Amino acid sequence: MSFIQLQEKESKTSLQPFSLLRPISEIRMGLYSFRERWTKLGYRIVPESEADALEKSGETVFRIPASTLPVSLTDISDADLLSPAKSEKLKWLNRPWQVVEWNAAAIKNDFPLAVKDRNSSLLPEHVKVSGANEIFIEEGVRFEHCYINTSDGPVYISKNAFIMDGAMLRGPLFIGESTIVKMGATIYGGTYGNNCTLGGEIKNSIFMACSNKAHYGYIGDSWIGEWCNLGAGTTCSNVKNTGGKVKIWDMHKKAFAYAGFKCGLFMGDFSKSAINTSFNTGTVTGICTNIFNGQQLTPKFIPDFSWGTEGDVKYELEKAIQDIDTWMKFKGKSIEQQSINKLKIIYQNI
């Protein structure tokens, strides 16, 4: 048995706003969270206190940043884990746009691990399929007349998902449990969504649990937190008109940083956009933002608990919590006291 201690402090602030309300190790990309992936690979994840005790007893404990992604799952050596920064087989994702950039590769790499020694449910004959890569379907998935193309990578569809008429899916793709893909939706490779409602056009984007983009509009090269809702017509830009490198607000450094040539929307948990919201290229929002601004492009950064887009009016805490609870009831859940306590602490420190 090999032991790994996932170091949260290495990435805790660098992956904001997505690390504000959860440990880095519980963030999901590809088909797994960072913690789940290492466990699936046969490593035992231990807390720091246990790691210290194991080392004193003579055991080797590999201490790596919690957001370390194996580039390949087949041949990771002890040398790689002892010096992850020097390894070509490991990638430390220490900014949100890097997680999005590597999500498609993670889906491809995770797929064989997820389907090993398992049988897929049968695909109905009325689903149009093309491409040579694999499709894996868990139990309870409902298909209307739709299209699946695996030319660029595999497609994994989790239990109780519902793919409606005319939806077009292109791998590598992960459709999570109880996700609804709306009629006519166009979902390109690199996209992940779990217990979400997805519609319109989506490309290379992560939708964390229970978030909705149910209507027409474009979201590309983006990361949407938990319990977010994008109003009808919401669209983001992911490429500058000049074709140049995109500047994005780095919440860790509190300054703008270059993030490559394609970079869309990075929206913190519990945030919402009004109908026809147009997000600027490389926009970052904090948690609990209520975004409405008419027909103008949004600012590049919208702080936590913003009411509107300018950041000068705060979302009242009690109203924000009440609104969150209302949205959660749509999916049969309620906000937990632990989440309320975390939100209060963040609000008080704004």
Side-chain angles (χ1 to χ4, degrees), residues 199-203 205 207 212-222 224 229-239 241 263-267 272-285 291 293-299 302 309:
E201 184 179 3
I202 301 171
K203 172 246 177 187
S205 295
F207 282 76
N212 297 331
K213 182 202 174 294
H215 306 289
Y216 286 103
Y218 174 73
I219 296 294
D221 300 287
S222 298
I224 310 299
N229 188 71
L230 304 181
T234 293
T235 290
C236 78
S237 167
N238 64 333
V239 178
N241 285 355
C263 195
L265 168 64
F266 295 78
M267 174 179 275
K272 300 175 289 293
S273 69
I275 62 169
N276 296 325
T277 301
S278 298
F279 285 100
N280 217 326
T281 318
T283 295
V284 175
T285 90
I291 299 163
N293 72 331
Q295 300 298 317
Q296 298 179 347
L297 282 172
T298 62
I302 302 171
T309 60

Side-chain angles (χ1 to χ4, degrees), residues 32-84:
Y32 298 113
S33 70
F34 289 106
R35 174 184 295 276
E36 288 172 338
R37 186 175 292 105
W38 287 111
T39 300
K40 288 282 186 180
L41 288 171
Y43 295 91
R44 180 182 164 195
I45 312 300
V46 296
E48 187 171 7
S49 58
E50 186 176 347
D52 293 340
L54 285 166
E55 286 179 332
K56 287 180 180 179
S57 70
E59 294 282 358
T60 299
V61 179
F62 302 107
R63 299 175 185 259
I64 62 174
S67 57
T68 300
L69 177 73
V71 176
S72 171
L73 303 184
T74 57
D75 54 356
I76 300 168
S77 68
D78 289 357
D80 295 312
L81 292 169
L82 285 169
S83 302

Side-chain angles (χ1 to χ4, degrees), residues 53-346:
L54 285 166
E55 286 179 332
K56 287 180 180 179
S57 70
E59 294 282 358
T60 299
V61 179
F62 302 107
R63 299 175 185 259
I64 62 174
S67 57
T68 300
L69 177 73
V71 176
S72 171
L73 303 184
T74 57
D75 54 356
I76 300 168
S77 68
D78 289 357
D80 295 312
L81 292 169
L82 285 169
S83 302
K86 298 178 181 180
S87 172
E88 295 181 356
K89 300 172 186 175
L90 301 176
K91 180 76 173 177
W92 178 27
L93 306 178
N94 63 351
R95 291 296 185 271
W97 51 89
Q98 294 175 336
V99 176
V100 171
E101 179 184 350
W102 281 85
N103 191 51
I107 293 173
K108 288 182 178 180
N109 286 342
D110 290 345
F111 189 89
L113 193 64
V115 305
K116 184 179 179 181
D117 299 324
R118 300 172 63 199
N119 294 319
S120 172
S121 295
L122 294 177
L123 192 66
E125 292 183 359
H126 61 260
V127 176
K128 176 67 174 178
V129 176
S130 60
N133 284 290
E134 193 174 350
I135 300 170
F136 190 91
I137 305 162
E138 292 188 352
E139 62 184 12
V141 178
R142 291 185 292 157
F143 289 97
E144 294 182 338
H145 291 78
C146 58
Y147 304 84
I148 301 177
N149 187 319
T150 68
S151 297
D152 297 329
V155 173
Y156 190 105
I157 304 178
S158 298
K159 64 181 180 180
N160 301 325
F162 180 23
I163 316 300
M164 291 186 175
D165 281 316
M168 294 179 286
L169 310 182
R170 189 177 187 92
L173 188 64
F174 178 82
I175 302 297
E177 181 177 345
S178 300
T179 290
I180 299 171
V181 179
K182 299 291 288 293
M183 292 177 62
T186 306
I187 314 295
Y188 286 91
T191 296
Y192 163 94
N194 192 45
N195 198 12
C196 296
T197 301
L198 304 178
E201 184 179 3
I202 301 171
K203 172 246 177 187
N204 194 47
S205 295
I206 297 170
F207 282 76
M208 297 176 73
C210 303
S211 287
N212 297 331
K213 182 202 174 294
H215 306 289
Y216 286 103
Y218 174 73
I219 296 294
D221 300 287
S222 298
W223 188 352
I224 310 299
E226 287 191 3
W227 294 104
C228 294
N229 188 71
L230 304 181
T234 293
T235 290
C236 78
S237 167
N238 64 333
V239 178
K240 293 179 64 174
N241 285 355
T242 62
K245 285 188 176 181
V246 179
K247 276 187 176 181
I248 183 171
W249 183 255
D250 186 335
M251 293 183 71
H252 172 64
K253 292 188 174 181
K254 295 181 172 54
F256 281 101
Y258 284 106
F261 293 96
K262 289 189 176 183
C263 195
L265 168 64
F266 295 78
M267 174 179 275
D269 300 323
F270 302 125
S271 292
K272 300 175 289 293
S273 69
I275 62 169
N276 296 325
T277 301
S278 298
F279 285 100
N280 217 326
T281 318
T283 295
V284 175
T285 90
I287 63 169
C288 295
T289 59
N290 192 345
I291 299 163
F292 49 91
N293 72 331
Q295 300 298 317
Q296 298 179 347
L297 282 172
T298 62
K300 296 274 283 187
F301 175 58
I302 302 171
D304 298 326
F305 289 95
S306 288
W307 181 267
T309 60
E310 301 306 318
D312 53 350
V313 180
K314 287 175 67 175
Y315 205 153
E316 294 179 7
L317 179 61
E318 294 304 320
K319 178 169 175 51
I321 292 171
Q322 180 182 348
D323 291 347
I324 289 168
D325 195 57
T326 298
W327 275 104
M328 292 182 77
K329 282 184 170 59
F330 287 131
K331 292 184 183 284
K333 299 184 179 182
S334 296
I335 189 169
E336 296 178 352
Q337 188 60 48
Q338 183 179 14
S339 295
I340 293 174
N341 293 340
K342 289 180 180 179
L343 292 173
K344 286 181 176 179
I345 292 171
I346 294 169

